[in-house]
Amino acid sequence: EKVGSLLRDKVWVDQTCPVGWAVSGLWNNHNYKHDTTLAALNVGQDRRLVVSADLDGYIRLARYPATSPKAEFFEDKVMSQSLNSLKFYYDDSYVIGVGGSEGVIIRWKVK
C-alpha cells in the first residue's frame, strides 16, 4: 500500500526540489520586491541554510527551514537569466551555480 504521509517527516540526504513544506516561506515571501518563480534550490549539509534561485536571475540565502512568508534572506541579482542548478560545497563554505544560455558557472562564498 502506498501512503504519502509515511514520507512527511523524512530527512533526505539532499534537498534540491524547490517545492515542500520546509521551503514554503521562499514562495510568495512578503519581502520580495516582485513575484518570483523558484528555478533551483539546495539545502546545506548542516541543515542550517538554504539557497534558492529564481527565473529572473536572483539568488537568495535564507535560514533552513524557511516556512514563514516573512522569512528573512540575503538577495543578490547575479545574472539576467535563470540559474538552472545550485549546490553547496561539502562544508557549506561556497555555493556553486550553473545556468543561463551561455552555460555560466558561478561560485559564491558563504560568510
Side-chain angles (χ1 to χ4, degrees):
E1 180 177 342
K2 297 179 182 180
V3 181
S5 64
L6 294 175
L7 300 176
R8 179 182 9 210
D9 296 323
K10 279 282 194 202
V11 177
W12 300 94
V13 173
D14 197 7
Q15 180 171 349
T16 56
C17 181
V19 179
W21 175 83
V23 295
S24 60
L26 300 177
W27 289 90
N28 298 321
N29 190 299
H30 295 304
N31 298 317
Y32 290 168
K33 297 175 183 130
H34 54 81
D35 290 338
T36 187
T37 301
L38 297 183
L41 179 133
N42 189 241
V43 174
Q45 300 297 323
D46 65 3
R47 299 264 200 236
R48 293 185 311 149
L49 296 173
V50 59
V51 64
S52 64
D54 68 18
L55 295 178
D56 296 319
Y58 285 92
I59 183 172
R60 294 178 184 91
L61 184 69
R63 291 190 176 126
Y64 181 83
T67 57
S68 170
K70 296 179 182 178
E72 294 181 5
F73 56 88
F74 172 78
E75 175 183 71
D76 196 15
K77 173 89 168 167
V78 296
M79 59 191 302
S80 61
Q81 299 176 1
S82 167
L83 285 166
N84 300 336
S85 182
L86 292 170
K87 182 76 174 163
F88 277 99
Y89 265 32
Y90 68 95
D91 62 355
D92 294 340
S93 61
Y94 289 92
V95 172
I96 299 292
V98 179
S101 60
E102 298 88 18
V104 175
I105 300 174
I106 303 173
R107 181 178 79 163
W108 297 272
K109 180 157 182 65
V110 178
K111 296 182 182 181

